[in-house]
Amino acid sequence: MFILVMKYLYRIYLLCIAAPLVVILTILTTIVIAIGMSIGNGHWFGYYPGKIWAWLILKIMFIPVKVEGRENLHKGESYVFVSNHQGAFDIFLIFGYLNRNFKWMMKWQLRKIPFVGYACERSHQIFVDKRTPSKIKETYTKAREILKEGISLVVFPEGSRSFTGHMGTFKRGAFMLADEIRLPVVPLTINGSFDILPRTNKWPCWHPMSLTIHAPIYPEGSGPEQIKHTMEKSYETIMNSLIPEYQGYVENPDQ
């Protein structure tokens, strides 16, 4: 009975207090990014307003976060981060708590989200557009340019959120890019995001989240075998750090 009461009190709080604050915060963040990107210092305005936005949203929603493995990252080094994709709150967790200047590689459809899509476009996030070969080429050209500037990249190699909390299969794109630019790949494991907002739910639930930053996988060679090795090692590393409930492969309907 107590748990049920707390559940509905949390929903009332989300509807009456948290949701309006998140909307206001999102609009303000979009304005700051748009103005900042217009006047210069794109690396700063392309990252820090979004980081603060994500961090504040989790604080507003009282979501506790635990981060492990920051010591695995080295100052001044660029990485291709690859993460499991449990739910929408993965964005807030990584943006707010990775503490690394990076760009997202995201579906082009996300450009249509009010305010958020505009902010992502203005801050030069990378939209993956697979509608034509020329657009695919454009996507990877932009990614290469950003990585060469010393900025890192975050990719969800499953391509879409999980329906069950389990990982789907990985696509090769991020690993091919890392192989071409000769950058280390860093696996990230997210736990708890699916329990906050499963893909089929409309209401978020309170639940702790954790982010595990694993040791970088440095290239030992190049070409198809190296790509396959890095992808398989990343998958295994992330899988082994999931809580037991979500370990093991379960087919994702939209993969």
Side-chain angles (χ1 to χ4, degrees), residues 112-129:
K112 300 178 181 179
I113 299 176
F115 298 106
V116 173
Y118 177 75
C120 288
E121 187 168 10
R122 291 290 294 160
S123 58
H124 300 158
Q125 308 303 325
I126 302 168
F127 292 98
V128 180
D129 193 336

Side-chain angles (χ1 to χ4, degrees), residues 26 47 66-67 82 84 88 151 168 181 189 192 197 210 227 238 255:
T26 301
Y47 170 66
K66 180 181 179 182
V67 181
V82 294
N84 61 314
I151 305 295
I181 307 297
T189 301
L197 188 62
S210 69
I227 293 168
I238 296 170
Q255 275 206 323

Side-chain angles (χ1 to χ4, degrees), residues 58-101:
L58 292 182
K59 292 298 182 184
I60 288 169
M61 298 182 69
F62 302 118
I63 303 296
V65 171
K66 180 181 179 182
V67 181
E68 295 179 327
R70 282 207 184 105
E71 68 278 3
N72 289 321
L73 305 181
H74 305 293
K75 187 176 181 179
E77 190 166 36
S78 295
Y79 302 103
V80 175
F81 294 97
V82 294
S83 174
N84 61 314
H85 200 4
Q86 283 198 335
F89 277 72
D90 300 342
I91 307 297
F92 305 129
L93 179 62
I94 293 176
F95 223 158
Y97 287 88
L98 183 58
N99 289 0
R100 203 76 179 188
N101 198 327

Side-chain angles (χ1 to χ4, degrees), residues 19-35 53 57 114-116 118-119:
L21 286 175
V22 168
V23 171
I24 292 170
L25 185 61
T26 301
I27 294 172
L28 289 175
T29 302
T30 301
I31 293 171
V32 169
I33 290 172
I35 294 174
W53 167 78
I57 286 175
F115 298 106
V116 173
Y118 177 75

Side-chain angles (χ1 to χ4, degrees), residues 1-2 8 16 21 33 47 59 76 80 91 94 111 155 158 163 181 192 232-233 238 240 251:
M1 182 64 179
F2 175 76
Y8 284 101
C16 298
L21 286 175
I33 290 172
Y47 170 66
K59 292 298 182 184
V80 175
I91 307 297
I94 293 176
R111 188 186 275 119
V155 186
E158 295 166 86
F163 277 95
I181 307 297
E232 290 178 349
K233 187 172 181 180
I238 296 170
N240 289 340
E251 185 177 1

Side-chain angles (χ1 to χ4, degrees), residues 149-204:
E149 291 176 0
I151 305 295
S152 294
L153 186 68
V154 174
V155 186
F156 295 116
E158 295 166 86
S160 57
R161 289 173 289 158
S162 171
F163 277 95
T164 64
H166 296 77
M167 277 206 301
T169 56
F170 279 2
K171 296 178 173 63
R172 293 166 56 89
F175 305 96
M176 293 171 65
L177 186 62
D179 180 69
E180 180 182 339
I181 307 297
R182 310 300 296 154
L183 284 181
V185 171
V186 178
L188 303 175
T189 301
I190 292 173
N191 280 298
S193 177
F194 182 79
D195 299 284
I196 294 176
L197 188 62
R199 191 163 172 176
T200 54
N201 280 23
K202 295 181 179 179
W203 283 96

